[in-house]
Every structure is written in C-alpha cells, then in structure tokens.
Amino acid sequence: MKHALFSLLTIVLMAGCAASTTQALVDEQNWYGLGEQDGQRGLPQRTLNDLRTLSNKAGDRMTANYLDYEQGYIHGIDAYCNPAHAYQLGLDGNPYMGVCESRPGSQRFRMEWQRGYNDYQSQANSQFY
C-alpha cells in the first residue's frame, strides 16, 4: 500500500512539473520544444486539435504550429526509443506507452524496458517482505 501511495504521489508531482513546463513552452510558442519534450518523455504524439486547445488556453493571439511540433516530436522520440537506455526507463518504473513500435529496434527496446520494469517490480515487492 505504501508503494502504491508513493507511486501515485510521484506521478502527481511529475504531472505538475510537466504541466508547468508544457505551459511555458506554449506561452513561448515553442512548438518544436513541446514536441521534443513529449517525444523524450515517451508520450503519444499530440494531435493538431490538442495543440489548438493548448494555444487557446494560452490566449487567442496564439497559433499552434503542428509542423514544428511534429519535427520536435520526431527528434525527441528518436532519443527516447534508443534501446540502450530502455532498461533504465523500466527500472525507474516509467510506463511504456508503445510509442516506439514502428521504429527500428522496437522489439529490443520493448524487451529491455520489460526486463527493467520486471526488476523494478521485484525490488518494490521485496520491500514489503
């Protein structure tokens, strides 16, 4: 139970930090940076409507640039989908949302992430016994 509570608290804090960083990038109209950030975090790619919603919240003078966002996302996802650090992502307890499936090395990435995630769960379970 303690582990679940800790995990929930960690996710809430990370979401709060991500939201403020996302908002800053939107306020700066840094669509490339937002896409790169999303990709590096292994998040699914946002749609044009998602970007329009973000820009509308920031003010009606803003216009979402999907091409810049998409180019940033590709750069970010290239870094995230590197199988060399997939084990560490899993070991840190990070979820994998399947964003690397169409990329070269996706099977190796998924296997390494799963191996790390299994070790993460084993460590978490061993704390209770």
Side-chain angles (χ1 to χ4, degrees):
M1 181 66 177
K2 288 181 184 178
H3 178 67
L5 184 59
F6 177 75
S7 295
L8 180 60
L9 180 59
T10 302
I11 290 170
V12 169
L13 289 173
M14 287 174 58
C17 292
S20 63
T21 303
T22 297
Q23 190 59 52
L25 291 168
V26 171
D27 290 345
E28 296 166 4
Q29 296 189 50
N30 184 351
W31 302 108
Y32 183 94
L34 179 61
E36 185 175 40
Q37 172 187 274
D38 286 353
Q40 289 173 345
R41 291 180 176 167
L43 300 174
Q45 188 172 351
R46 297 176 199 249
T47 65
L48 179 56
N49 285 337
D50 295 336
L51 297 184
R52 286 180 178 154
T53 299
L54 286 172
S55 65
N56 288 340
K57 287 180 184 176
D60 36 343
R61 71 186 192 296
M62 304 235 177
T63 303
N65 185 326
Y66 193 74
L67 182 59
D68 283 354
Y69 172 84
E70 188 172 45
Q71 289 174 344
Y73 185 81
I74 290 168
H75 186 255
I77 208 73
D78 283 344
Y80 177 83
C81 292
N82 181 346
H85 76 273
Y87 174 80
Q88 188 62 49
L89 288 168
L91 187 61
D92 290 343
N94 293 309
Y96 172 54
M97 298 184 204
V99 297
C100 302
E101 293 308 305
S102 64
R103 315 211 31 105
S106 65
Q107 183 177 2
R108 183 168 164 240
F109 178 91
R110 191 177 346 95
M111 289 172 55
E112 288 297 312
W113 173 85
Q114 188 65 60
R115 187 171 65 89
Y117 196 75
N118 290 345
D119 288 350
Y120 163 77
Q121 289 181 318
S122 293
Q123 289 174 1
N125 290 336
S126 69
Q127 292 176 356
F128 295 110
Y129 297 107

